[in-house]
C-alpha cells in the first residue's frame, strides 16, 4: 500500500488510528479541520482541510489507495450544521476519491443509521435504515452514496457502524462497547481484505450482550477479542430497574433514540457553487 | 380536509394533480419555482417559492393538513445542482411542516431509489436502497428523513416510488407504466387512508409485467386499473432482441441504471445560514 | 357427508351458517347453551349443551364427519369466565371429536390471536401469536391445540381468523370486514377441500384495504367477492383525522388492542373432575 | 423472430404448440423421435432426430433464435432409460444451442422437480429442489444446467414447471390444472419477454386452489385465464374423504410423490463417445 | 433486588436454583405444593401453596421484584390434571404478579412447546409453536400469556425453553443437554439483564450438537460453558443405528414427540369460582 | 460399525481418509479406478472398480453400513467425460447402496455446486444451486439424487460441500481452506451422528474469513479447529490489489467461476445397457 488518507485525524477515534495506519502504508496523510494534531508518526503528514470544501479535499486524495473517512461532527446538531461536514463532506470524499482513482473508502458509519430498531430485534447488517437523528441520517446518506459508487463505478467501501467507543459505565455499553483494540482490528480488516465491494459491518466488541449481528459480514474476518462483560458486575450493581417505556433503554440508538432532533431557527440555506472557471 | 399544499405544481405530474387535489380540500395551495401555473381551479391559489429556501416554504405550510410534495429537479444532474431542491427541499418540507403542525407528507419518490436491483428480483417495498443516480440518492435521503420524522415525531408520510409515468413506447414501460388515472388514484389513497405511519408504495399501474411488488403496502388499498399490456403487441413488434448484458435492460432503474452519474467541475459548496436574528 | 355438528348455533355468525350447513350434509346437529334456536332447517336437529362439559359434548359428536366450532363467549371477559367455554370447550371438542372419529374441526378463530401486530405489517398466516385479550389468548390456545392434534393424531382443523363480521361503519372495517356471503363461502371451502392438515386462514372479504395476507392459505381456494370499499366514501366522510398514537387505530386488533384485559376479583378457580366411575 | 425449434413436437403438449409457434416466427422446425407428425402448418418443417445424439441435434439448431424444448420421456422410468433423452438430451440442446448462437431455451420443466414439498407449503419458484422421481431429477438437472449457461455464457432460459396438463377429473387437478390455452399463453410470454435471464415459473392455470406461487416470476406477465373451479362441484361429488397419510394426497407431486422410483436390473451403462475425428 | 419468588422450589431444577437465587436478592421466598423443602438458605423462606389457587399465590408475590416460575407438573398427563398447575397456575402468577407490581417473570418453558419441529431444522426462538403434548401446550399457553402481559401491561418475562436437564446417557442428550451450571447462568442473565420485554431463549448448554438456535436472543448475553461432547464417545458406543422413521429420533421433542397424548376417562371439568364477596 | 466403503481411495482426499476410516469400522473396503493404493491399513482391503459400472460397484457394497463417496474426476472437463464417473457413478452408489441395504452415503460435494453466488452473500446450506462448471453440475445432480433417496426411500446422506483442501497460498484460500484434520473431523461427524436424513454442510475450517455459513447444519456438531488466518500476513503481503470485476475474485467458486466450461468436439454419447439376462 502506497498511500492512505485519514480524515478526522484530530478526533477521538481518528487519533487512535493514526499510529496503526501509519504502519500499513508507505505514506499516511492525516487531515482534519483542526490546526494541528501534534507529533506526527513516521510516514505521516498532516494537512488541514475542510471536508465541506471539494477544493481542499481533492488534492489530498491524489495517489491514495484508500481513504479512512472518520471526519464529521460527532453529535446531534441541526441539519444545516451537519450538512457541510457530514453530508457534503461524504460526497466530496467519494467524488474526489473517484476522480483521483482511490480504490476504497473505509467509513465510520454508526448504529444511529438504524437507531430506531429495537435492541431485542438483534438486527443484522441488512436491517433497513431507521435513523434516530440528523446525525444518523447523514450515516444513511453516506451508506447509500457508497452503495451507488460501487454499483455504478466499482469503487469499494466498508461502512463501520460503530455502536459506542466510550468507556463502559452504563448498562447499554455492556452490549454496545467497541474497544480501541477491536476498532483497530476492524479497520485493519476493512483495509486488508482483498475485495469488499460495498460492505456494512457493526463496530462492536465481542460482548456477551451485543445486540447486533455481524454474521452476514463474516467474510471480512473481523474477530473482536474484548468483552464488556468484565465490567458487568460493577455496572449492573450501580444500575436501577430499567424503564421499559424509555426509548433510550429499548432501542438500538440508546440516548439518541430519545433525544430531540437537532432543531434550529434556520431561515435559509444557500448553495454557493464557486467553481473555478477553466 | 381544510388545506392541502402541492409542490411542483408546474411539473408534468404536479399539473395533473391540481384538479383532483383542489376537490379534496377546502383550500389547495399550489407552489413551484415557476412564475405561473396558468388558470387556477376553484379553491386553488398559487404561491411561487424556492424549495431550497426555508423562509419561503415555511409560511406556505401554515394550517395545512397535508403536503403533496412533488417538487424537485426531475433528472440526473450533478450533486450540487440537486442539493438545493431535491435534498434541502425535502428537509424544508418536513421541518417546516412539523413546525406548522402538518400531519402528513405524500412524497413523489422514485424507482431510482432502488434502481440497481434486478428487474427479475421482483422487489418489494422492503428492498434495501440501491440508488442508481444522484437523483435516486435524493429519494433515498428523503425516505430516510420521512422514516425519522415518523419514528421521532409521529409525522406521517407516504413515499410513492413512481416507476415511469410517460407514454408506453418501449418494452421497459410495459412493466413500469403508471397511468395518470392510476397516479391520481394512488395519491387519493395516500391522502384518505386514516393512518399511514411511514409507508412506501410503488407507483405502477396494473401491468401484467410489473416488476415490483406492492403486497406489503396492501393496507393502503391502492388498486390500479390500467394495464400497459394493451400496448404490448405494438411495442414488442418494434423491439429487437434484448442485450442481456445491458444494465438499462436488466435493472429496475432502466436507462438511469446505465447513465453516468451527474458529474461536474464543482469546486466548492458553501452553506450560508442566513438565519434572521431574533 | 353424513353428519356435521355446529356449535354456537344461536350466536350471530352461527345462526347464519345453519342453513348452508344443513345443505352440505345429510344431517346437521346444531348445539348451543341457549334453550332454543327457533325453527329448524330440513335435516337439522338441535341439542342444548354446555361446551365446558365433556359429558354433554361427547355424545353429540358421535358419527360426525366434521365439527364447525363457533361456540364461545364472544367478548373480552375475565380469564375465569372464558376458561370454561373458550378454553376447556375447545379441548372438549377436539378430544371428544378424536374419540368419536371426527375427521376435521373448522374453528372460528380470530384476528385477536394476533391483534397486537401492526396493521401496516400486513401479517400472513404465519405471524407469531400476539394476543390482545384473554379472548384472543383462547384463540391462540385453540390453534396450538389444533396443531397438536394434527401432528400427533392426524386430526385436521382449519382455523378461520375472522377480522370483523359486523357492519362497515368505521374506518377500520374498510379493511377488516367479512361479509356474511364470504363467511359462508369460507366455511364451505374449509369443509370441501379434500385435505387441509392444520391450516390457518384470515376471514376477511376482498376489501381493497385488507390488512392481512392469505397467500400461504391459497390452496384452500377461498376467493371472497365482497369489498368494503363500497362504503368508503360515506365512512371516510364521517371519520376525523386518526390518532396515530392510539393502539386501536394502529394495531390489527383495533379496539381490543387498546381495551383493558378482562379483570376480576377472582380468588380461586377449582377444577372438579367428576369422572364417572366405570 | 426468424426461426424457432420445437422438440417433442409429436408429444401431447408439443402437438398443441405447433400451430401457435408456427405463427410466431418465419420458420418453425419441429423435431421428435417419431417418424412423422402429420400435416405441417405454414412455415413449419419437420426433422426426425434423437435428442440423445448431439450429431442429430446440432444441425437443427443452426440459425435458431430460440428452442422450445418439450422433448423427453414423460413418465417415471429407470434412470438408464431417462439418461439419454431427459438428461443428455438437455445437455445437447443447451450445448448445441450455445454453439449455434441460440439466444434462449424455453423448457418444459415440471412440478416433479419439487414434488416432495407439501401442497400446503404453497411453494414459490425459489423452493429448493425436491424431486419425487428420476423423471423429476432430470428436471432438476436441466434447471441447474440452464442456470449455469446463463451465469457463465449469458444464454437465457425459462423453465416452465408444469403441474398437470390433463383433464380435471380428480381433486388434485382442481389445483394443478394447466389448460391448453394457458399453456400457449405461457409459452408465448416465455418467448416474447425481451429479457428473461434464467427464470422459473409454474405452469398452472388461474385455479382457485392452485398450490404454488408465481409471484416472483411476475415480470414475465403470465396471466392465466382458465380456472379448474368450474369442475369442482362434479369432481368433489365423486371424491371420498382424503387419506391424509397418503403422499399422493399431501405432496405437490401427487401420484409421483408416492410411486416407486423407476427400478431396473441394469448392470452397466457405458458411454460411447463416437466423436468424429477432425 | 429486594425480593425474588421461586415457584416449584421442591422440584429437581427448582432445588438447584434456591441457593444462587438466595444470593441475588435480599429475600427469597420459595414456594411449592410440597410440605417442606428442607434446610433453608440465608435469606430464604418457604411458603407452601397451590399454584392453581389465586388466593394462595397472591399474597406471596407482595413486594416481589421478579418471580422465577418453575412450578408445574413436569410430565405428560391428561389435560385436566395439567389444567390447574400448568395452565391456571401460569395465569395466577402473571395476574397476581401484575396486581402486586412484579416487574418480571422468568419462566421455565420447554422445548416441548415446539417439539414437533424437526431436529434438522435448527429452529430459532421465532419458530412457530408446535407442541408435542398437553405438557407442551401449557408452555405455549404461558408464552402467549407472557406476550400479552408485555404488550398490554409492560410486564416483562423471559421464557426459558429448556431442552433436557438430565444426565447425558443417550444420543439425543448430546444435543439437548443443559447442565446445572449453565441453567444457573441462564437464570442469572434472565434476571440481571436490565430490560427484556417479552423474550424467549433455549435452555441448552454449549453442546457441539445443539439442535436449536439462540442467535435472536443474543442480547441476553447467555454464554453456556458446558458441552455434552465430553460424553459422546461413551454414549455413541452404546447407541445402535438410529431408526430414521421414529419421531423420537427425528423431532425436537424426542420421546414426547412420540408418546401418546395424556388421555383419560374424564367426564367433566367444572370451574368453581369461589370469589370472596367484598 | 461393521463395514465402510471408501470410493476414490487413491485420490488426494481419499488417501487421507483411509487410516481414520479403517479405525471406525471392523472392515474398510477401499476402491478406486487405480490399480493399487499402496500398503493397506489394518482392516482395510482394496478393490479396483470403475464407478461408472454398476456391475463392479454393486458387489463391493454388500453388507456395508455406509459409503464414503469421494470418487470422481476432480476437475472441470467436458460433460461427456464427467458423465460416467461423476454422474452415473453417483447413481450407481445410491442405487446399488439401496439394493444392498446401505444406510448412509457421505459424499464429497463441492462449493462448485453453488460457485456462482457472491462471496459477500455469505450463503448458507440452503442457497439455491448455482453451479459454475460441469464439475459443479455433477455435485448438484448428486445432491438432488440424495434428497430423493431420502424422501422416497429413507436412505440417508451427508453432502460435504468442500471449499478448498489445498495449501493456503492465495487470498481466496484464507476463507476457503479446509485442513486435513478438519476434513477428518467432518467425515467422522457425518458418520457418527445417529440420524442425518438428507444433510448438506460446507467443508471449511474455522477460518476468520470463511465466506459460507454452516449454521443450519449445526446439529451435526462439526467444530473445525484450524484457521487459515495463520497464513494471512504472508499471503496478503504477496497479493496485489484485487480486480473487483473478476468473477474469480468475487464469486464463491473462485477460478472455476471464471473458467470456460469444459468444451469438446463431442458428436454423440450412446448408452449401452449391457444388463445380464437372468
Amino acid at each position: 500500500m502506497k498511500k492512505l488518507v485519514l480524515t478526522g485525524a484530530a478526533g477521538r477515534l481518528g487519533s487512535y488510528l493514526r499510529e496503526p495506519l501509519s504502519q500499513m502504508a508507505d505514506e499516511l496523510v492525516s487531515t482534519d479541520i483542526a490546526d494541528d494534531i501534534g507529533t506526527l508518526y513516521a510516514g505521516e503528514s498532516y494537512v488541514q482541510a475542510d471536508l465541506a470544501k471539494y477544493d481542499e479535499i481533492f488534492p489530498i486524495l491524489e495517489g491514495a489507495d484508500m481513504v479512512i473517512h472518520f471526519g464529521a461532527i460527532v453529535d446531534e446538531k441541526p441539519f444545516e450544521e451537519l450538512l457541510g461536514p457530514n453530508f457534503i463532506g461524504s460526497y466530496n470524499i467519494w467524488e474526489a476519491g473517484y476522480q483521483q482513482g482511490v480504490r476504497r473508502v473505509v467509513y465510520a458509519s454508526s448504529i444511529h443509521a438504524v437507531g430506531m430498531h429495537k435492541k431485542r430485534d438483534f438486527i443484522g447488517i441488512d436491517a433497513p435504515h431507521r435513523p434516530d437523528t440528523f446525525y444518523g441520517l447523514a450515516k444513511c446518506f453516506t451508506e447509500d452514496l457508497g452503495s451507488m459508487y460501487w454499483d455504478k463505478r466499482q469503487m469499494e467501501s466498508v461502512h463501520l457502524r460503530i455502536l459506542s467507543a466510550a468507556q463502559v459505565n452504563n448498562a447499554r455499553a455492556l452490549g454496545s462497547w467497541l474497544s480501541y483494540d477491536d476498532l483497530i482490528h476492524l479497520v485493519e480488516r476493512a483495509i486488508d481484505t482483498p475485495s469488499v465491494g460495498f460492505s456494512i459491518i457493526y463496530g462492536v466488541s465481542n460482548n456477551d450482550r451485543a445486540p447486533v449481528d455481524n454474521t452476514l459480514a463474516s467474510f471480512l474476518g473481523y474477530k473482536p477479542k474484548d468483552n464488556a462483560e468484565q465490567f458487568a458486575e460493577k455496572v449492573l450493581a450501580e444500575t436501577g430497574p430499567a424503564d421499559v417505556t424509555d426509548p433510550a433503554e429499548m432501542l438500538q440508538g440508546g440516548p439518541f433514540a430519545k433525544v430531540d432532533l437537532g432543531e434550529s431557527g434556520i431561515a435559509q440555506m444557500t448553495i454557493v457553487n464557486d467553481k473555478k472557471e477553466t
Side-chain angles (χ1 to χ4, degrees), chain A residues 35-49:
Chain A
D35 290 337
D36 176 30
I37 57 168
T39 312
L40 298 175
Y41 294 95
E44 188 188 26
S45 61
Y46 180 70
V47 183
Q48 186 182 16

Side-chain angles (χ1 to χ4, degrees), chain A residues 144-156 197-198:
Chain A
D144 289 339
L145 182 80
S147 164
M148 184 174 69
Y149 273 76
W150 165 245
D151 279 338
K152 295 294 293 267
R153 292 173 160 181
Q154 287 72 57
M155 182 171 158
E156 296 191 315
F198 166 71

Side-chain angles (χ1 to χ4, degrees), chain A residues 117-235:
Chain A
H117 286 277
K118 293 179 192 163
K119 271 200 284 190
R120 283 186 298 132
D121 280 353
F122 198 61
I123 53 173
I125 60 172
D126 54 352
H129 285 156
R130 289 188 69 178
D132 53 23
T133 46
F134 287 114
Y135 175 76
L137 184 64
K139 301 306 189 188
C140 297
F141 166 82
T142 307
E143 290 185 359
D144 289 339
L145 182 80
S147 164
M148 184 174 69
Y149 273 76
W150 165 245
D151 279 338
K152 295 294 293 267
R153 292 173 160 181
Q154 287 72 57
M155 182 171 158
E156 296 191 315
S157 51
V158 187
H159 300 256
L160 318 175
R161 284 189 189 157
I162 295 166
L163 274 72
S164 69
Q167 284 188 303
V168 181
N169 50 22
N170 58 64
R172 176 174 179 262
L174 294 177
S176 65
W177 187 50
L178 174 67
S179 75
Y180 288 119
D181 284 352
D182 285 335
L183 167 65
I184 290 168
H185 167 57
L186 176 58
V187 170
E188 285 176 349
R189 284 288 162 93
I191 291 172
D192 78 14
T193 300
S195 62
V196 298
F198 166 71
S199 297
I200 293 171
I201 186 167
Y202 289 105
V204 64
S205 280
N206 185 32
N207 306 322
D208 282 4
R209 305 173 196 243
V212 291
D213 185 1
N214 268 331
T215 300
L216 293 176
S218 298
F219 81 103
L220 286 170
Y222 170 58
K223 299 288 172 185
K225 291 192 172 51
D226 289 314
N227 187 338
E229 202 60 24
Q230 59 183 300
F231 309 108
E233 194 172 337
K234 180 170 181 302
V235 165

